[in-house]
Structure formats: C-alpha cells, structure tokens
Amino acid sequence: MTATPASLVEQLDWPRIEADIAARGCAATGTALFTPTECAALVAMYDRPRHFRSRVVMQRHGFGQGEYQYFAYPLPPKVAAWRSALYERLAPLANAWAAAMGQPADYPAQHDAYLARCHAAGQERPTPLLLRYGEGDYNCLHQDLYGDLQFPLQLTVLLSEPGRDFAGGEFVLTEQRPRMQSRAEVVSLTQGEAVIFAVNQRPMAGTRGSYRVTMRHGVSRVRSGRRHTLGIIFHDAR
C-alpha cells in the first residue's frame, strides 16, 4: 500500500519536533517528505509558468537576490496533500501557542475550514511557492504574513541535494527576545527534508509565565550551484 502524506506525517517524531520548536522556534523533520524523484518533478515545474500565479525577482524589491514563484490554484496534488496533512497535525500546537499568548485559540481542525476563514477575510491567493537561488543569491530575514490572518507555523522543504547541486545557502532563523540581543539558528537539511518554524511570534516560558518572542527567517549566500526549495504556508494572501 502506497504511503500518503497523512500517514507519513503521523510517522514523524513529533515529541522531538515539538520539543525542538519549543526550545528554538524551529525543527527539522528528520526524514524526507519528498523523494528525490518528487523533488526533481517540483524543480522542473519552475520553468512551466502555467503552474504559477506570480513571479518575484527579489533584488527588485530589496528582499535579497534570487527569485520565487507562487503556485496558482489548484495546487499540485502532492503539495496540497502535504499542506492539509501538516496543518491538521500542527493546529493543536497553534491553538496552544495562541492560548499562551492571550489570543483566541480557535484554529479549526481541518485546513479546508481554515482556508474558508481566510477567503472570507479577503485572503484568497495561494501562498505555497517555489524558490530558486543561484550562485551569490540569498534571502534577507523576513516574515511571511500576507494579511490579518496568519497561521503561526510554516515549513520549507529543500528540493536540491547539498554538496551536489549547491553549496552554502543555509536556512537561518533569528529570535528577538524582549530587551535582549537577537539569537540566530542555522538549520542544515538533506534533500526532501523540511524545517518547521514560527512565522511571526511564538510563546516562550518565563519565570512569570509566557512571553512573546519575534522570529524572522532567511537564507545565507549560495556559494555555488543552484538551490531550490518549496515553501508551504498555511494561510492564504490578501
């Protein structure tokens, strides 16, 4: 029987993933979500405009250097299936974070219901995207917000093979705690593996209860080759 994204999600080491997210605001999945063949198929889509709603050249906007494209609806079936399965596993954690930060803990259990809420609020454009970096390219630290409604976690899947397809281009996450200097986290991934991380703010336990820390993410300079990634964001864009 062929494994589905929903069944593969359940096989991930969630106690370890959730502990890493609580400690550092991010966690590698520890295993590949996409096979090398699936990674190659997604990379090949990049040069087929019919799959996308828009293309962004980063240096034109001060975002860094490189480019990315947002998928159009309907999403590729595998991307859509992973987006739904991961949302459903992460929704309880999102509600726990919301409660800890004094926000409404009302993320629905099903992704379709959450997307309906986004669309009712005018956020109707799909946000999953493919990113392409060449030699010398990088992505400035940023947050993927897109509107008033924001699911607090997202993920990036590395589609290229480190050491063969590219060198450099590490995923970087920074954390800004109140009245403290920023702390950086660098995550190394294998092909097909993903990193799950905080979109904007996350709660951190303190001596007087939880407080909020602000997260940003980016990509360091690619030293050689070409690096492709898939971004899965659970809220849609205005």
Side-chain angles (χ1 to χ4, degrees), residues 91-145:
L93 179 57
N95 281 320
W97 278 17
M101 293 189 291
Q103 299 168 346
D106 60 355
Y107 293 101
Q110 303 297 318
H111 192 229
D112 286 349
Y114 181 65
L115 286 181
R117 184 179 298 178
C118 289
H119 296 175
Q123 294 178 213
E124 299 179 326
R125 297 187 296 162
T127 49
L129 68 163
L130 285 181
L131 301 98
R132 171 180 283 179
Y133 303 89
E135 184 174 344
D137 290 350
Y138 62 94
N139 198 344
C140 295
L141 293 170
H142 65 284
Q143 298 171 318
D144 296 316
L145 304 181

Side-chain angles (χ1 to χ4, degrees), residues 39 46 96 130 189 194 218:
C39 289
Y46 197 89
L130 285 181
L189 300 171

